[in-house]
Amino acid sequence: MSQLGGAPGGPSPEEVERRIARCTEVMDQLAGILAMDFSPDLSEVVTMLSIDAQSEVNLLQSGAEECLSQGRFDLFENIATASFRLEDLQGKLERWKQGLPTGSVGGVSGLGGDMMAGGMSDDERAARALAAQFEEEDRAAAAAAAGGGGGGAQASPGSMHGSDHGAASAFQAPPQMS
């Protein structure tokens, strides 16, 4: 599994921003080839693109900590997205090399062996939604703190993260119908 921690001395947020575009380009090229049927002629190109994509993601991850320290949560989210996408592409690469269907963008494999729909599992969607919610709450808390804490900032529905209201109440199940 990939790490999003980053090492001190990694690229600056500005460099991360530039590298995200390069990483996306490489992964788009890789995804395009993996959408085709297996061909031994393309195998070397796919391997090179996979290595290039991994290098780009590693570079991005080394800048993750700096992005967080500067409040660039958008870049951190892009780094996480690139990491998840690379993992998905690596799985598709293995299936592609075996001549198996790799699934299509926005669809589910016809053989039922592909748990990805649109390149993302249900667990990934839930994790990203939760991370986005926490990020939104953290921004609202920072805005409230910067604004003196008086009126102005409103809590979003379900924003129990870090409050005295009790986090469990935000995750209660809807009432059961009898």
Side-chain angles (χ1 to χ4, degrees):
M1 191 118 195
S2 56
Q3 293 181 336
L4 299 177
S12 68
E14 294 76 22
E15 177 65 13
V16 166
E17 209 162 14
R18 287 189 291 273
R19 300 305 296 202
I20 286 171
R22 169 75 179 130
C23 186
T24 300
E25 179 183 315
V26 171
M27 286 196 271
D28 286 348
Q29 291 173 355
L30 181 58
I33 294 173
L34 295 178
M36 299 179 208
D37 289 336
F38 174 78
S39 167
D41 297 335
L42 293 174
S43 191
E44 187 175 326
V45 172
V46 167
T47 299
M48 289 177 11
L49 286 172
S50 177
I51 291 168
D52 196 14
Q54 182 66 60
S55 297
E56 291 293 331
V57 168
N58 290 345
L59 180 70
L60 292 174
Q61 289 174 344
S62 70
E65 189 174 314
E66 183 66 20
C67 290
L68 283 177
S69 72
Q70 292 189 23
R72 294 297 308 268
F73 301 109
D74 58 322
L75 294 179
F76 185 79
E77 184 176 340
N78 288 339
I79 293 167
T81 299
S83 297
F84 288 130
R85 185 172 182 208
L86 179 62
E87 287 179 19
D88 179 48
L89 286 172
Q90 287 172 335
K92 287 181 178 187
L93 173 61
E94 291 306 312
R95 291 188 301 277
W96 182 81
K97 285 180 178 179
Q98 296 170 8
L100 300 172
T102 58
S104 61
V105 175
V108 177
S109 169
L111 297 177
D114 190 35
M115 70 176 198
M116 301 296 198
M120 202 181 323
S121 71
D122 290 341
D123 290 342
E124 257 181 57
R125 279 189 195 88
R128 288 183 187 190
L130 190 57
Q133 178 184 345
F134 288 159
E135 181 180 326
E136 179 182 325
E137 292 166 6
D138 290 344
R139 286 183 186 156
Q154 292 183 340
S156 61
S159 64
M160 302 300 154
H161 165 73
S163 72
D164 293 326
H165 300 291
S169 64
F171 300 105
Q172 290 179 348
Q176 296 288 327
M177 302 287 285
S178 299

